[in-house]
Amino acid sequence: MEAISKNFFLYLSNNKMLDRFAKRFGSRFGADKIVGGETFSQAIPLIQQLNHEGLEVTVDHLGEFVDSEAEARDRAGECIRSIQQIASNQLKSEVSLKMTSLGLDISHELVMENMELILKEAQKHNITITIDMEDSSRCGATLDIYKALKKDHPNLGTVIQSYLYRSDEDLDELDPYDPYLRLVKGAYKESGKVAFPEKNLVDDNLKHLIKKNLLNGNYTAIASHDDAIVDYTKQLVKEHDIPTDRFEFQMLYGMRTQMQQDLLNEGYTVRVYLPYGEDWYGYFMRRLAERPANIAFAVRGIFN
């Protein structure tokens, strides 16, 4: 049943008609409960409120799979403007971005040029940039970009997905780079040839990756709403005396808000992933596919 639910929401995430409908009527159906607004300026008051509550933030301008050079450059410009606004408003926020939004599917030269411009601005303001991970077909290229840029840009992180078989080996290859890694389960529809088909195996691998990266001494962001994963991490860091400044928990805006506050009260760093922009529909469907319990969280967030 869980596999059927996941496939259903992944199918919906690629439905162009529903995407157009969502963009037109999203606010009526609770999009504002999961997305920070259509522009970064609209998201600023939310970031300020989250910071006031003690939460860190990472923002993401929604949109991916850009197929024109002009749009990719526009996306880069949006990232740069958001960095500048984070700095000018003294927000406790990082920036997440996708390589396909910056031209990965167009040319290597274009995506590297855009990333250099973004990272130069981010370094000027001491703001961390995280390269989000996309589907498995782009995983290798994304990690190659990360490795090429990391040596000159220490304020750069990326993401490893536990549902991919390759992730353990990827973690080994990234270790020499002193990586800042967000560890997640993964939310794209993948073949059994490249990804674990069963949830328990994905969960077990996530625990393995969390332990490995933390014991390697690398900064680790545990991005999960799963009680079992959070409890496992808390027990792990206690057993190995890992200080709280070496890891953080990350959760989606609008979901598990009580858990976020509970973790804050226990002394942990908690970062909220706050997307903004019109292209929220595909993002939301993938979050529902990621974990069926997110459906209940989303419904409560929309109607509470």
Side-chain angles (χ1 to χ4, degrees), residues 19-282:
D19 182 43
R20 289 192 296 270
F21 180 85
K23 287 179 180 177
R24 184 174 179 183
F25 299 107
S27 61
R28 301 184 192 179
F29 292 91
D32 58 335
K33 300 294 185 181
I34 59 168
V35 176
E38 294 184 0
T39 67
F40 187 81
S41 294
Q42 292 174 346
I44 289 174
L46 288 175
I47 299 172
Q48 291 172 327
Q49 178 60 36
L50 291 167
N51 288 168
H52 178 72
E53 294 169 5
L55 295 158
E56 309 277 331
V57 174
T58 187
V59 294
D60 180 9
H61 184 217
L62 293 171
E64 53 196 300
F65 309 126
V66 167
D67 58 8
S68 80
E69 181 176 332
E71 187 175 357
R73 293 190 187 280
D74 284 345
R75 293 277 181 173
E78 172 62 27
C79 287
I80 290 170
R81 288 188 294 275
S82 67
I83 291 166
Q84 292 168 342
Q85 290 185 77
I86 288 170
S88 63
N89 288 278
Q90 299 182 311
L91 304 174
K92 293 180 180 179
S93 180
E94 299 177 354
V95 174
S96 295
L97 44 76
K98 290 181 173 61
M99 293 296 88
T100 57
S101 74
L102 299 175
L104 178 64
D105 294 347
I106 301 172
S107 77
H108 179 75
E109 292 74 19
L110 176 61
V111 71
M112 292 298 285
E113 180 184 338
N114 283 333
M115 281 299 295
E116 288 285 2
L117 291 172
I118 291 166
L119 288 168
K120 180 180 178 181
E121 190 68 25
Q123 207 155 326
K124 183 192 306 182
H125 300 291
N126 195 31
I127 292 172
T128 297
I129 303 296
T130 297
I131 298 175
D132 280 341
M133 192 55 67
E134 302 178 69
D135 64 325
S136 62
S137 68
R138 297 173 174 87
C139 181
T142 300
L143 292 179
D144 286 344
I145 290 170
Y146 176 76
K147 293 172 187 175
L149 293 169
K150 174 66 173 176
K151 57 185 178 182
D152 294 322
H153 301 284
N155 60 325
L156 184 64
T158 192
V159 177
I160 295 294
Q161 301 172 114
S162 72
Y163 71 167
L164 296 180
Y165 299 138
R166 62 174 289 165
S167 293
D168 186 49
E169 185 176 336
D170 286 335
L171 213 61
D172 290 336
E173 292 184 5
L174 289 172
D175 187 48
Y177 293 85
D178 187 25
Y180 167 10
L181 297 179
R182 178 194 300 152
L183 302 182
V184 305
K185 293 183 184 180
Y188 290 86
K189 184 174 176 58
E190 302 284 4
S191 163
K193 295 180 180 179
V194 300
F196 293 104
E198 298 176 12
K199 179 183 181 299
N200 66 305
L201 298 177
V202 176
D203 291 353
D204 288 345
N205 197 39
L206 180 56
K207 292 177 181 178
H208 167 72
L209 297 175
I210 291 169
K211 182 175 183 178
K212 187 172 190 174
N213 202 52
L214 282 171
L215 295 186
N216 282 345
N218 300 318
Y219 193 88
T220 307
I222 299 94
S224 177
H225 298 143
D226 193 328
D227 293 285
I229 297 298
V230 171
D231 290 342
Y232 170 81
T233 303
K234 290 161 68 174
Q235 184 62 35
L236 177 70
V237 299
K238 181 179 180 180
E239 288 176 0
H240 294 274
D241 294 319
I242 297 171
T244 55
D245 63 0
R246 298 303 303 156
F247 68 96
E248 65 185 49
F249 292 103
Q250 294 189 0
M251 297 184 186
L252 303 176
Y253 173 67
M255 297 188 186
R256 299 309 306 261
T257 53
Q258 186 57 56
M259 176 185 272
Q260 293 171 22
Q261 287 299 321
D262 290 344
L263 289 169
L264 274 180
N265 294 338
E266 293 170 26
Y268 298 106
T269 299
V270 181
R271 188 175 305 279
V272 174
Y273 186 93
L274 179 67
Y276 71 96
E278 295 181 353
D279 293 331
W280 64 273
Y281 171 77

Side-chain angles (χ1 to χ4, degrees), residues 266-304:
E266 293 170 26
Y268 298 106
T269 299
V270 181
R271 188 175 305 279
V272 174
Y273 186 93
L274 179 67
Y276 71 96
E278 295 181 353
D279 293 331
W280 64 273
Y281 171 77
Y283 155 81
F284 187 42
M285 289 299 108
R286 285 196 296 275
R287 298 295 79 76
L288 297 184
E290 210 168 12
R291 185 168 181 256
N294 285 348
I295 301 169
F297 301 149
V299 170
R300 284 199 296 269
I302 289 170
F303 291 106
N304 287 338

